[in-house]
Amino acid sequence: MVEGARSVGIPTFQSQNGQMMEGEGGASIMDLRVRDGMRQSVFRSYVFPYMDRPNLTVLCHALVTRLVMSGKQAGGVEIVHDGKVQRIAAGAEVVLSLGAIHTPKALMLSGIGDQTELRRLGIPVVQHLPGVGQNFQDHVGFGCVWEYPQALPPRNSMGEATFFWKSDPDLDTPDLQTCQGEMPMSSAETAAQFSPPAGSWSLFAGLVRPKSRGRVRLTGANPQSPIEIEANTLAHPDDMKAAIACVELCREIGNSAPLSPFVKREVMPGNLKGAALENFIRDAASTYWHQTCTAKMGHDAMSVVDGSLKVHGIDNLRIADGSIMPRVTTGNTMAPCVVIGERAAEMLKAGHRV
């Protein structure tokens, strides 16, 4: 795939980090976190080595339902565990790290959010913060698939090459990212239409500077009620233009000479144009699982936390996850979330002198 990208004018690099990320874009083998042949999670690296510490408890299968509030001060959390409602008190602060969907859900169930929305559901308003649940952003991808002449056996993580590029050369930074997958990557709609064979590989064309904005809303005051996610994917016309450019670029790379030994036929989308290509893109749209930005940092009326990750108007409450990003990062969100966690830890250590 890297050689295919080079053949269409995309420069190649030894690593996707560093120079490639700081310039006009490029292609490379992906940097992966692997130890003893296994992908490593943040939990495995940061938490698991310290599971025997007496001041650490990891409670599985526990649903955080709301904050325990005393006026405008957070004093703990309420959870459901083993079918029972329990309260856990905080000695100093509460730090929510529930992600871009469940963090705003917990805030809103606690009376922190847009007062009109809260009153609509009969939730007493503790702090009017209209930005809670707003500004939802994600990286969206579109599976472009080729059938192997002879399927390769699964190996490693089955996806180890990527490129960043611009949909428009006048942009100041890449707005596209594609990852290769050694398997067919399709939505339910495109799978039904194109029936990609199991022995296929993909270029998962992605938008990483989306202009579309969505929101997360409660459907009821009961914590067990499902959350409503209005992603508004491709709502902004510029996102559709960028998606078309990315899919066309993936087709050019996938059908290039360096990849021809791995191609029996192009499965999808094929040489679609105009409305047919737009329809394919809407049908193919899938998440990269980089949902962020629903409790953004800032000082404007729609901001939820300040530069110290403290929730505006609420004492003893911080947020440390991807929801605090004002804009989704151009690349994958795991490393930025690690940085947010590291900075939160530094702030807590300094603030409480530990």
Side-chain angles (χ1 to χ4, degrees), residues 251-284:
R251 292 194 64 238
E252 187 177 5
I253 293 171
N255 293 319
S256 65
L259 281 163
S260 60
F262 306 98
V263 175
K264 178 180 179 181
R265 67 182 177 99
E266 180 183 353
V267 178
M268 64 184 195
N271 190 28
L272 302 179
K273 300 294 181 183
L277 180 56
E278 289 190 14
N279 288 338
F280 168 81
I281 285 170
R282 294 191 185 281
D283 284 342

Side-chain angles (χ1 to χ4, degrees), residues 77-304:
V77 293
E78 180 181 282
I79 67 170
V80 175
H81 185 246
D82 286 340
K84 299 177 182 177
V85 177
Q86 303 179 42
R87 288 190 169 189
I88 301 174
E93 291 188 37
V94 176
V95 182
L96 291 182
S97 295
L98 303 174
I101 295 170
H102 282 275
T103 283
K105 179 183 178 183
L107 291 173
M108 289 185 284
L109 287 171
S110 307
I112 302 169
D114 182 82
Q115 59 187 11
T116 303
E117 283 282 293
L118 298 178
R119 287 168 179 162
R120 176 177 66 88
L121 298 171
I123 299 173
V125 178
V126 173
Q127 179 68 28
H128 173 57
L129 285 178
V132 173
Q134 300 293 320
N135 196 42
F136 177 94
Q137 296 171 50
D138 192 12
H139 293 156
V140 59
F142 318 91
C144 304
V145 179
W146 288 261
E147 184 180 2
Y148 284 110
Q150 183 175 355
L152 298 177
R155 61 192 184 89
N156 300 336
S157 67
M158 300 180 69
E160 298 181 13
T162 189
F163 71 78
F164 287 81
W165 204 237
K166 297 178 180 180
S167 64
D168 181 339
D170 292 333
L171 294 174
D172 61 350
T173 187
D175 62 333
L176 311 176
Q177 180 189 9
T178 291
C179 293
Q180 184 184 34
E182 298 173 21
M183 76 293 286
M185 303 175 75
S186 59
S187 66
E189 291 82 359
T190 56
Q193 181 179 354
F194 293 91
S195 301
S200 301
W201 58 272
S202 307
L203 293 178
F204 196 47
L207 305 186
V208 289
R209 298 286 302 245
K211 294 183 179 180
S212 301
R213 298 292 184 265
R215 64 177 178 174
V216 173
R217 304 178 71 191
L218 296 179
T219 60
N222 186 335
Q224 302 291 341
S225 298
I227 197 80
E228 181 179 346
I229 304 169
E230 296 178 358
N232 283 337
T233 302
L234 300 174
H236 196 289
D238 287 352
D239 288 352
M240 176 57 79
K241 292 178 183 177
I244 291 171
C246 197
V247 167
E248 290 179 338
L249 178 57
C250 285
R251 292 194 64 238
E252 187 177 5
I253 293 171
N255 293 319
S256 65
L259 281 163
S260 60
F262 306 98
V263 175
K264 178 180 179 181
R265 67 182 177 99
E266 180 183 353
V267 178
M268 64 184 195
N271 190 28
L272 302 179
K273 300 294 181 183
L277 180 56
E278 289 190 14
N279 288 338
F280 168 81
I281 285 170
R282 294 191 185 281
D283 284 342
S286 306
T287 180
Y288 255 99
W289 302 105
H290 294 165
Q291 296 94 342
T292 46
C293 306
T294 52
K296 74 168 188 171
M297 179 188 294
H299 297 289
D300 65 340
M302 297 302 289
S303 297
V304 178

